[in-house]
Amino acid sequence: MQKSNTALQIAAYLLETGAIKLRPETPFTWSSGWFSPIYCDNRVTLSYPAIRSFIKTALSEEIRMHFPEAEAIGGVATAGIAQGALVADLLELPYIYVRPEPKSHGMGNQIEGRLLPDQKVVLVEDLISTGSSSLKAASAVNMAGGNVIGMAAIFTYGFEKATQNFIDANIPLVCLSNYQSLLGIALEQGYIKTEMLDTLSSWRKAPDKWKK
C-alpha cells in the first residue's frame, strides 16, 4: 500500500474505533492549558485485532524502509509500550521500553530491558504532539549508552514546533498518518462538516492561541 493510502486508512481506523475524536464546537483542554478540537488515544486500537495488526505491520514496514540498520526497538511509555512490543516481535528484534522518569524504588530503572552499548534503537510512539516527551525518551536511551537512530509513530498533529524539535535533536521521524489526512477522511466519511474545516485547520497552525 502506498504511503498516502496508508495515511488515509490509518486515519479512518482511528476515527472508526474512537481513538480520535473531533469536537471543534466543544473543545478539549490539554494538560498544557491549550484548547484542542481533537482528542487522540491510539491505545484504543489495541482492542481491535485486525486494526492492531495493520498498524503493527505498517510501523514495521516504515522501520524496515527508513531504519534498516535498527538493532532494537524501544517503546515510549506509556502508550508506545504495547505498540513497540508488537513491532519488535514482528521484526524479531530485541525490545526495551523507556519510562518518563527513573523508578523511585527497586533498581531505579528508567529503561526496562537489556540495552547494549551503542545499540542502534528505533523508538515507537503512538502520537507526536510537540515531540518533547518523545525526545526526552530518546535522550535517556542515548545517555544510557544506546544510539537512537530514529522514531516511528502512528499519528502526528504536524506542528511546526515538533518538526523543528526533531531536526534540532537530529533524530529522523516517520509517521503513519497525520492531521491533514485525518481531516480529509473525516470530511469524506461524515465525521465533520465542510464549515468546520477552517477552524480545524487554524488550530494546527497556532494551537497555543486557538480559542483564546
Side-chain angles (χ1 to χ4, degrees):
M1 184 177 285
Q2 293 181 348
K3 188 173 179 64
S4 58
N5 292 337
T6 299
L8 293 172
Q9 184 62 75
I10 294 289
Y13 282 149
L14 297 180
L15 288 165
E16 175 188 335
T17 59
I20 281 184
K21 293 178 171 60
L22 290 167
R23 209 171 68 186
E25 295 175 352
T26 53
F28 302 95
T29 303
W30 286 1
S31 58
S32 62
W34 291 1
F35 294 111
S36 170
I38 181 173
Y39 179 79
C40 183
D41 181 5
N42 295 330
R43 288 169 290 199
V44 173
T45 62
L46 295 168
S47 298
Y48 299 82
I51 294 173
R52 180 180 71 212
S53 182
F54 185 93
I55 291 172
K56 169 187 70 176
T57 301
L59 282 168
S60 299
E61 289 174 352
E62 289 295 310
I63 291 170
R64 284 194 188 104
M65 181 186 304
H66 295 281
F67 313 112
E69 69 274 33
E71 297 172 335
I73 301 298
V76 179
T78 58
I81 291 177
Q83 304 289 359
L86 290 167
V87 169
D89 191 56
L90 183 59
L91 293 176
E92 297 184 331
L93 288 173
Y95 180 65
I96 61 171
Y97 72 83
V98 190
R99 301 174 185 275
E101 304 289 344
K103 286 174 66 175
S104 59
H105 57 281
M107 297 295 291
N109 293 339
Q110 183 170 5
I111 298 170
E112 299 292 356
R114 182 78 63 184
L115 177 66
L116 301 178
D118 206 35
Q119 192 170 35
K120 296 181 177 67
V121 179
V122 174
L123 294 179
V124 172
E125 265 282 26
D126 75 321
L127 170 68
I128 300 297
S129 179
T130 64
S132 297
S133 60
S134 306
L135 291 171
K136 183 179 178 182
S139 178
V141 172
N142 289 337
M143 289 288 290
N147 178 13
V148 176
I149 60 171
M151 187 168 298
I154 298 173
F155 187 81
T156 178
Y157 295 128
F159 295 149
E160 289 183 9
K161 182 176 182 179
T163 300
Q164 191 58 53
N165 283 343
F166 277 91
I167 290 172
D168 291 345
N170 196 30
I171 294 179
L173 170 67
V174 294
C175 298
L176 297 184
S177 192
N178 55 73
Y179 190 67
Q180 290 305 112
S181 295
L182 178 80
L183 293 187
I185 205 73
L187 182 63
E188 179 183 311
Q189 296 187 355
Y191 288 92
I192 59 173
K193 298 177 181 178
T194 304
E195 55 266 29
M196 296 178 178
L197 284 176
D198 282 347
T199 187
L200 286 166
S201 297
S202 66
W203 170 77
R204 192 189 66 80
K205 295 173 184 175
D208 56 331
K209 298 180 176 63
W210 192 75
K211 293 288 186 182
K212 291 186 177 180

